[in-house]
Amino acid sequence: MQTVGFGQHDHAACVGGGMKAAEDACEAQGLRLTKGRRRVLEILLQEHRAMGAYDILGMLSDEGFAAQPPVVYRALDFLVANGFAHKIQKLNAYIACAHPGDSHTPVFLICRECETVAETAAPLQSTLGEVAEKIGFKIENTIVEAEGMCPTCRDTETAV
Amino acid sequence: MQTVGFGQHDHAACVGGGMKAAEDACEAQGLRLTKGRRRVLEILLQEHRAMGAYDILGMLSDEGFAAQPPVVYRALDFLVANGFAHKIQKLNAYIACAHPGDSHTPVFLICRECETVAETAAPLQSTLGEVAEKIGFKIENTIVEAEGMCPTCRDTETAV
DNA sequence: GGATGACTTGATATAGTATAACATTTGCAC
DNA sequence: GTGCAAATGTTATACTATATCAAGTCATCC
């Protein structure tokens, strides 16, 4: 057991569980969890913190992987697209998903001091403040960005 | 009148109002709305869309302003820090605040097709989906990031 | 088994975003 | 008018991300 995020947990189980969840999901959906993708996910799970793409790149490079930026970005794109990892826009960093397999809208609590990131869920039904308070996080600034289709583009799309 | 965001409004009034609000706020708080800061805010209000720092830089440069990146980033830092503009993390872009003066938690609705950005408010009390639906925006993906202090860092801070 | 096509990877180059560092100037308080 | 804090000018560089095209891998179909 060690401190991760803002709480305690069995980290070995968390890494194993994360890999297992990804393997199962890929199996089920016919996705290919190739060597590079697998290794990047392992790194994110092991480190259990938000990492920059070039941090990951450095680790791959140390291990003798072909290590050019596109290698990492492709792996990250795959992991993010399939819900195994998330991008923390505020930090330009990536983190393994804490709830792989579940469909969810992640909410990230980012410490401005140490940049530790905790992933929580479903803020939009309850209030975000309540979620944070439970774990002792003091929110000072929230970033809420919703992406989708604006009315104009929806009209254009259906017209075509 | 012209289409801005996803609705209609009196754009001239909106620019004037934005500048007025910033001037008043600076006056009240002893902040200096210097030439460069003022011009960047004017540009953001006039364009009324999310702009990259280098887009703004290009416009300043065309006008004969000293136009190195730090000039723009400093102005943007000032405007964001004091609530006259916001950064759209998802787009690495900046946009004039639609409600200057009010203390608020902005919520941005970003069209993935045209990248038009609408600023709405206070999603955490109601549900984000309701806010979006009212203006015809279809949310496909939300980015919620809360920044603040984690329990560990709060302890350290009070200890010192 | 070989042809096919979709997907993935390798590799080089470059685009885009942001800050460090230090000298200089400006505005204001005393 | 001196001194200090804030703001600006300027150069260089760091950090983040993608375009492009060639080559390899894998499943499928015949």
Side-chain angles (χ1 to χ4, degrees):
Chain A
M1 294 277 270
Q2 58 186 115
T3 302
V4 177
F6 310 136
Q8 304 282 324
H9 73 282
D10 181 343
H11 193 46
C14 144
V15 173
M19 291 307 300
K20 182 72 168 48
E23 284 161 6
D24 292 351
C26 286
E27 175 85 12
Q29 298 169 62
L31 300 170
R32 286 156 64 183
L33 188 61
T34 58
K35 199 173 136 200
R37 293 169 177 176
R38 166 182 293 272
R39 188 62 195 122
V40 170
L41 178 55
E42 280 174 359
I43 288 174
L44 286 176
L45 284 166
Q46 281 161 0
E47 294 288 321
H48 210 300
R49 62 188 171 92
M51 300 181 76
Y54 281 70
D55 293 338
I56 299 168
L57 188 54
M59 294 184 65
L60 290 179
S61 178
D62 291 346
E63 295 172 9
F65 260 80
Q68 301 306 321
V71 170
V72 169
Y73 281 102
R74 284 167 182 160
L76 289 171
D77 285 349
F78 173 86
L79 297 174
V80 170
N82 294 289
F84 307 136
H86 301 290
K87 178 170 186 181
I88 310 297
Q89 301 284 346
K90 175 77 184 180
L91 303 176
N92 290 319
Y94 302 83
I95 194 166
C97 178
H99 311 98
D102 303 5
S103 156
H104 61 296
T105 295
V107 176
F108 300 103
L109 305 177
I110 307 163
C111 180
R112 78 169 141 72
E113 190 73 16
C114 65
E115 294 197 342
T116 293
V117 175
E119 179 178 350
T120 68
L124 303 177
Q125 275 78 36
S126 68
T127 72
L128 182 52
E130 284 169 15
V131 174
E133 197 170 327
K134 274 183 200 155
I135 62 175
F137 188 95
K138 178 166 179 251
I139 292 178
E140 294 173 340
N141 182 38
T142 58
I143 300 164
V144 179
E145 298 179 2
E147 198 181 22
M149 289 289 272
C150 73
T152 309
C153 287
R154 290 174 77 180
D155 288 350
T156 307
E157 198 165 64
T158 50
V160 174
Chain B
M1 293 276 271
Q2 58 186 113
T3 302
V4 176
F6 311 137
Q8 306 281 324
H9 72 282
D10 181 344
H11 194 44
C14 143
V15 172
M19 290 309 299
K20 183 73 168 49
E23 284 161 6
D24 292 351
C26 286
E27 175 85 14
Q29 297 168 62
L31 302 170
R32 286 155 66 180
L33 189 57
T34 57
K35 200 173 136 199
R37 293 170 176 175
R38 168 183 292 273
R39 187 63 196 120
V40 170
L41 179 56
E42 280 174 0
I43 289 174
L44 286 176
L45 285 165
Q46 280 161 3
E47 295 287 322
H48 210 301
R49 61 189 171 90
M51 300 181 74
Y54 281 72
D55 293 338
I56 300 168
L57 189 55
M59 295 184 67
L60 290 179
S61 178
D62 292 347
E63 296 172 10
F65 259 81
Q68 302 306 322
V71 170
V72 170
Y73 282 103
R74 285 169 183 161
L76 289 171
D77 285 349
F78 172 85
L79 297 174
V80 170
N82 294 290
F84 307 135
H86 300 290
K87 177 170 185 181
I88 310 296
Q89 301 284 347
K90 176 75 186 181
L91 303 176
N92 290 320
Y94 301 83
I95 193 166
C97 178
H99 311 98
D102 303 5
S103 157
H104 62 295
T105 296
V107 177
F108 299 102
L109 305 176
I110 306 162
C111 180
R112 79 168 141 73
E113 191 73 18
C114 66
E115 295 196 341
T116 294
V117 174
E119 179 179 350
T120 68
L124 303 175
Q125 276 77 36
S126 68
T127 73
L128 181 53
E130 283 169 15
V131 175
E133 198 169 327
K134 275 185 199 154
I135 62 174
F137 188 95
K138 179 165 177 253
I139 292 178
E140 295 174 339
N141 183 37
T142 58
I143 300 164
V144 179
E145 299 178 3
E147 199 181 21
M149 289 288 272
C150 74
T152 309
C153 287
R154 290 174 76 181
D155 288 349
T156 306
E157 201 165 63
T158 49
V160 174

